Amino acid sequence: EHIRITILSPAKLELFDILGKRVMTATMDAGQNQLDLPLLEDGIYYLNIEQEGRKNTKKLIKQTWR
């Protein structure tokens, strides 16, 4: 229950649930990073990535296969 993120420069990450509640924040160094999500419930999330003054948002869908 994790995702791997490769970034070219240090970044600040914020993860929001579908209702806009911030559920996680992290800072990551350049290179390959791992974001652990084991405590999050299944659902839709939005990952905001800010680096070098630019912001990017990615949609994540967490679904546990049973």
Side-chain angles (χ1 to χ4, degrees):
E1 294 193 23
H2 62 271
I3 57 173
R4 291 187 184 175
I5 300 172
T6 302
I7 54 177
L8 300 177
S9 61
K12 177 183 174 185
L13 282 68
E14 294 180 305
L15 188 65
F16 295 88
D17 67 13
I18 192 74
L19 300 176
K21 179 182 173 188
R22 185 172 52 209
V23 295
M24 180 183 294
T25 60
T27 54
M28 297 194 167
D29 296 323
Q32 190 169 11
N33 297 272
Q34 182 170 300
L35 190 61
D36 295 317
L37 307 172
L39 300 178
L40 296 180
E41 294 187 22
D42 289 359
I44 298 172
Y45 295 89
Y46 294 95
L47 178 63
N48 289 343
I49 304 168
E50 182 178 346
Q51 64 187 132
E52 296 181 347
R54 293 175 288 167
K55 292 184 180 181
N56 195 355
T57 302
K58 299 293 183 184
K59 182 178 179 180
L60 299 176
I61 300 173
K62 183 179 184 221
Q63 182 175 8
T64 305
W65 297 96
R66 298 184 171 107

